[in-house]
Amino acid sequence: MKVHCYVSIILTIAILGIGSCRPNKPLPNPTPIATIEPKLQLDNLSFEQVDKQGKPLWKVRAKSGVYTPDRKRAKVTNLDGDLYQDGRVIMHITAKTGEVEQEGEKVFLRGDVVTKETRNNLIVIGQEVEWQPKADLLIIRDRVQANQPKFQVNADRAKYFTRTQQMDLSGKISAFSSDPRLAMQTEQLIWQLKERKVIGDRSTQIQRYQGDRITAKATANTFSTALDFKVINLQGNVQLNATKPLIQVNGESFSWNLDREVVTADRPLKIVQQQEAVSFNGNAGELDLKASTATLTGNARGVATRNQAKIGADRLIWQIASQQLVGTGNVVYQQVNPLIKFTGTRGVGKLQDQSIVISGDRQQRVQTEFVPN
């Protein structure tokens, strides 16, 4: 480590209290002299650390500081510095105070630390930052904020791996996207800046906004998305609540396209509309929020709980706004009052009204089972 500074030292030595000896009276025990740690008060400091090839790892400048030679450490104030990788500046840092080790293993920064990452237009703010140049690691603690122009994350702690350009955030996390407008809450987030991806491997809540109004909420055990947030992949105990149409969707794996406002599930899902007391489920499906249409495939089923009407088919298309329903392939419709069952190839109507019309074709005619009271 190189230290460049102007040093002004004035040393004054005063020897006081030399008295005479009295042979008939023992001398009192001498008062222990406190060990004084040698310190140098320095102004306009400059520190730097280089690798084996002579390329800079970091450079720090400070207005003033105190250097303790025996501990090989300098404490400085009002500092700014540059962090390097492969001989190029990748981050610029400012802080109120800092501590630099003689061997350059670590640099500690405290008090409104602002880090500007030049490669990804990223600004990271925290109250305490530790830079480990040999590990290519920046550790940020206490009120962490990581900001890009359209995405911001607040967390308790963060680790930024400068070589892979990945930030791991933990603690109480809240994240915000401005386009599209989203808010997220979780406890652990992986931000891959180079790949422009965000991954959450803990339980996460996501709110979708139109203006200042929440139009949809989603919860999942894990999620992943590109940073443009056009598509969010949700996995594990997924639940989505939409306000228009007013429905709830449950499943294990959703792909939520925010640009098209379409939710696609490649595994079993269930759609519930409590207002109309109807529910639909299938082995897979698609929900078009903009068109207010749900399509379910593979053992698709629909139930109206008020009149206990049921329909099953290979494929069901549900027009949510009008409640119109179309079922195709192995259609089975049942109702309780009167107790009747129809089978055919196609069914059209509304479950709530028990007004399903069943039709067949040349291969399969309509069959009716009627049980009188």
Side-chain angles (χ1 to χ4, degrees):
M1 178 180 71
K2 299 179 181 179
V3 180
H4 309 289
C5 56
Y6 173 73
V7 183
S8 177
I9 306 174
I10 299 176
L11 177 62
T12 302
I13 304 176
I15 305 175
L16 302 174
I18 302 177
S20 60
C21 296
R22 295 183 181 182
N24 295 328
K25 187 175 182 179
L27 292 173
N29 293 329
T31 302
I33 300 174
T35 302
I36 300 175
E37 184 182 63
K39 295 181 180 179
L40 301 178
Q41 182 69 44
L42 310 174
D43 295 324
N44 300 321
L45 292 167
S46 177
F47 302 88
E48 66 177 358
Q49 173 78 4
V50 298
D51 60 16
K52 294 180 180 179
Q53 289 74 38
K55 294 181 180 179
L57 291 173
W58 54 263
K59 294 181 181 180
V60 172
R61 300 164 293 278
K63 184 177 180 180
S64 62
V66 176
Y67 179 61
T68 55
D70 58 338
R71 294 189 180 183
K72 298 181 179 181
R73 183 173 291 181
K75 295 182 179 180
V76 296
T77 59
N78 297 327
L79 64 90
D80 69 90
D82 298 311
L83 308 184
Y84 290 75
Q85 191 166 276
D86 302 328
R88 296 176 56 190
V89 175
I90 59 170
M91 284 182 284
H92 181 74
I93 293 184
T94 60
K96 289 183 178 179
T97 64
E99 193 170 299
V100 182
E101 291 185 354
Q102 177 75 20
E103 301 300 326
E105 295 289 337
K106 295 178 181 179
V107 178
F108 297 93
L109 308 168
R110 296 178 179 87
D112 298 330
V113 186
V114 179
T115 304
K116 297 181 180 179
E117 210 272 22
T118 58
R119 296 169 297 182
N120 296 289
N121 197 17
L122 174 70
I123 297 176
V124 184
I125 300 172
Q127 295 306 304
E128 183 178 297
V129 170
E130 177 182 333
W131 169 236
Q132 299 179 13
K134 291 185 178 180
D136 294 320
L137 175 62
L138 194 74
I139 302 174
I140 310 101
R141 305 181 184 93
D142 191 5
R143 288 171 282 168
V144 178
Q145 294 181 20
N147 305 320
Q148 278 190 337
K150 294 184 179 181
F151 187 57
Q152 174 183 324
V153 183
N154 299 327
D156 294 332
R157 300 169 297 278
K159 291 182 178 180
Y160 183 50
F161 302 89
T162 60
R163 180 69 60 181
T164 59
Q165 300 178 46
Q166 174 174 306
M167 181 175 291
D168 293 354
L169 301 112
S170 58
K172 186 177 180 181
I173 296 174
S174 57
F176 307 92
S177 166
S178 60
D179 184 20
R181 287 203 61 195
L182 292 173
M184 300 181 187
Q185 300 82 39
T186 187
E187 294 182 350
Q188 188 159 307
L189 202 67
I190 300 171
W191 187 356
Q192 298 174 342
L193 284 100
K194 189 174 182 180
E195 291 81 9
R196 296 185 56 79
K197 291 179 64 177
V198 179
I199 300 169
D201 58 0
R202 297 291 188 277
S203 179
T204 303
Q205 298 83 44
I206 302 173
Q207 296 85 41
R208 169 78 159 114
Y209 286 82
Q210 294 286 355
D212 295 329
R213 184 172 59 90
I214 296 176
T215 58
K217 297 180 181 180
T219 59
N221 291 345
T222 64
F223 83 94
S224 63
T225 180
L227 203 56
D228 58 11
F229 290 101
K230 289 186 177 181
V231 178
I232 302 178
N233 297 306
L234 304 156
Q235 293 86 32
N237 196 26
V238 184
Q239 180 175 299
L240 185 141
N241 292 275
T243 60
K244 189 177 180 181
L246 187 60
I247 56 173
Q248 183 182 102
V249 191
N250 296 276
E252 286 298 315
S253 179
F254 289 175
S255 176
W256 186 8
N257 189 313
L258 278 72
D259 195 30
R260 296 174 50 220
E261 295 188 40
V262 171
V263 177
T264 305
D266 57 0
R267 295 171 64 182
L269 76 159
K270 183 178 182 179
I271 305 174
V272 179
Q273 190 179 43
Q274 293 184 352
Q275 186 177 7
E276 296 292 335
V278 292
S279 63
F280 293 86
N281 60 276
N283 292 342
E286 180 178 279
L287 173 63
D288 190 327
L289 296 171
K290 188 180 295 184
S292 189
T293 302
T295 302
L296 298 105
T297 57
N299 196 29
R301 295 289 182 269
V303 178
T305 56
R306 290 189 185 129
N307 58 22
Q308 299 182 43
K310 301 178 181 179
I311 189 170
D314 294 338
R315 178 186 177 93
L316 286 174
I317 300 175
W318 177 33
Q319 301 290 341
I320 302 171
S322 65
Q323 295 297 314
Q324 189 73 12
L325 184 67
V326 177
T328 55
N330 298 308
V331 176
V332 178
Y333 169 71
Q334 301 177 74
Q335 64 182 43
V336 174
N337 187 21
L339 186 59
I340 194 169
K341 177 179 178 181
F342 296 99
T343 60
T345 59
R346 181 179 174 87
V348 179
K350 297 181 180 181
L351 277 179
Q352 298 93 320
D353 300 341
Q354 296 187 153
S355 58
I356 301 293
V357 177
I358 305 298
S359 59
D361 56 21
R362 293 180 180 179
Q363 285 76 33
Q364 182 181 356
R365 294 183 178 181
V366 177
Q367 294 184 3
T368 306
E369 297 181 22
F370 179 75
V371 180
N373 293 331

